[in-house]
Amino acid sequence: MLNHMEFDLQCTDIVRKFDDFTAVDHVSFAIKKGSFFSILGPSGCGKTTLLRMLAGFDNPTSGEIIIKGKSMNGVAPNKRPVNMVFQHLALFPNMNVSENIAYGLHRQGINKVEIKHRVEQVLARVNLAGSGNKQITQLSGGQKQRIAIARCLVLNPDVLLLDEPLGALDLKLREHMKVELKQLQQEFETTFVYITHDQSEALVMSDQVAVMNHGQFQQVGDPQQLYYQPDNAFVAGFVGDSNKWSASVIDILPDSLKVKTTTGLILSVSKVDNKSLIIGSEVDIFIRPEAVHISQQVTANLQDNHLNIKINNILFDGANSQLLVEEQNSGEEIKVKLPQTAEFMHLQKGDKLQISFPFQQVKTFPKELEVS
Amino acid sequence: MKTIGTANARTPIKLGLLLLLCPILLWLFLLVILPQLTMLNISLQERVAPRIYEYGFSNFIAFFTEPLYWNTFLRTAIMSIIATILTLIIAFPISYYIAKMLRGRAKGLLFVLCLIPFWVSELVRTYGWMILLRESGVISTFLQYIGLVDGPIEFLYTDATIMLGLVYSSMLFMVVPLTSTLDSLDDSYIEAGYDLGGNGFSVFWHIVVPHAKPAIVSGCIVVFMLTLGNYLTPILLGGKSSLWFTEQIFTQFITRFNWQQGSAFGVLLLSISSLIVWLGLKLSRQSFSKVMS
Ligand SMILES: Nc1ncnc2c1ncn2[C@@H]1O[C@H](COP(=O)(O)OP(=O)(O)O)[C@@H](O)[C@H]1O
Ligand SMILES: [Mg+2]
């Protein structure tokens, strides 16, 4: 068995069925003390259902949740050492900021002087000292966010659960809150379980990320692992931006594969461990836009993929600018990262160039059987 | 130039608004304010000789010197307050169950079931209760049949029966506002209440009640006013012993043909209902406009 002290939260084989629909399907994981754990998945994949079971609002059909070494089966939400930040925050509108934060402390029967002291302390820690008498409606989006988190953290929970709390914020504030949340987590040293459908939130903030789809965990790992070593096609497609093609194997070489995409483009790709792959096998291949090198002159490396392309479109987005290019023979469209350097400033629609990428950068996965 | 322009533009709007408000203003004036003022005027007249009247307070003095009058008056007010509180206590769990526990079709169905009795007139509903409760009625007969009692029992003509009738006929006016307000309370507030360590009582008291407060107060005001001014239910279910103040007013106007005294009673009833509503608002720290919106 795993050492209980090292983990704040352990789940073994959690299943949640609604009639004959399985929302959470045999999920197991363990979260280290004081770490930031994210569950990332498209909406409807069962994230909220899983989180509500951790909070105690819902019970697993089977499986066990262990928090700080104690089984949570049959433990009511108000008796669990976890707190939750709701999707729409659920700050009580009839109470002001202090009263909202004090609500949980009052329930623990702490005396008034102590409560006042702790409320002021936590307000200072979330940089909202002196806002205690404000009404909830007077706060900005980011301030509400911080109060919702302070309201939970003042209770010193073992685990803080967050259900897409940044979803309602505008882009700029969301970027800012990402950093702030991470800082708060490190400062309070509380274990965070954060669910989101936004891969950038998960990658920026987390120590560990679990990618979820159709109620199952696809892969659990740190952000770099997920980004550079995806376990399967879903993770490769969902985390980060990728060009994705369907292809079939036409040759198996000692350290690479030759594949042909449906439009007839022939590429060298990295080899899969999967032994069952034979010539003619269907595969999905992924290449990240930033792994593609643009050049005006030919460089000679036989194993690299060299393609002659024409620029179809320039998508300017500052540092995230991309080129949409078309391979000359097959007409396959490829997204390529456009570095904002002097070398590429003059590029225009219709220009002809060469692109290249090493075969190691092309991830290959056996084609998934369509789940119907 | 500019100011003249806006002034010109504004006048027709004001006129339009006035025209739009005309029906309601007329209605308010002709049917609410005018009768009340007339009544106040009549109540201040005292008869000095046949067909000769002078202004004076004798009608009001009569009220305070005759114990039957003000006892009835107080009894009516207190019974109405009790009926209002009972209605609230019974309606709250029902509304909570409909709004928060039920989902989908069951919810609509139960809500409509609460409304159905109110499709028939109050008179018919009250007669329904009489059929059940009278000496030779359904309940009495049933109790005799199963051998629980020896002789027939009269359930009618007691204060408890009046209370039953009043609460029953007020239910709708409490359940409807409460259900719609509780329905608008997002489940996540209740869950957050539990999540932060609250138990059933503290979630109810600190989260559900403050949210429902405007509906509670408005429901109570409506129920209280309807109960205080109710005539049919106390008379039919309470009979001669009902001692309801509206009955006194009826007697003065119709039986005694003493419009002056009747008007004085009417004015007093209006004053006490306004006073109690005002007190209720003050105690619950609600403003009238907020409650009624
Ligand atoms: N109470 C419920 N009854 C039936 N199905 C539900 C219930 N709650 C959630 N589901 C279903 O479970 C799936 C996962 O929902 P959810 O956990 O909310 O997804 P996510 O939070 O990842 O967007 C959805 O398809 C949803 O329809
Ligand atoms: Mg969700």
Side-chain angles (χ1 to χ4, degrees), chain B residues 194-219:
Chain B
Y194 282 109
D195 185 65
L196 295 165
N199 53 24
F201 173 77
S202 61
V203 169
F204 172 75
W205 191 247
H206 295 284
I207 293 155
V208 178
V209 168
H211 177 85
K213 209 162 163 188
I216 293 173
V217 176
S218 73

Side-chain angles (χ1 to χ4, degrees), chain A residues 52 57 78 83-84 86 90-92 94-95 103-104 107 151 155, chain B residues 188-189 191-199 202-203 206-207 210:
Chain A
R52 289 172 59 81
F57 299 127
N78 52 359
N83 287 117
M84 180 152 164
F86 288 80
L91 292 169
F92 306 131
N94 56 299
M95 304 180 196
Y103 174 87
R107 303 287 84 76
R151 182 174 78 171
L155 303 173
Chain B
S188 65
Y189 291 110
E191 286 176 350
Y194 282 109
D195 185 65
L196 295 165
N199 53 24
S202 61
V203 169
H206 295 284
I207 293 155

Side-chain angles (χ1 to χ4, degrees), chain A residues 43-44 46-49 87 163-164 195:
Chain A
S43 77
K47 306 181 295 289
T48 301
T49 309
Q87 195 153 8
D163 186 354
E164 311 207 22
I195 68 179

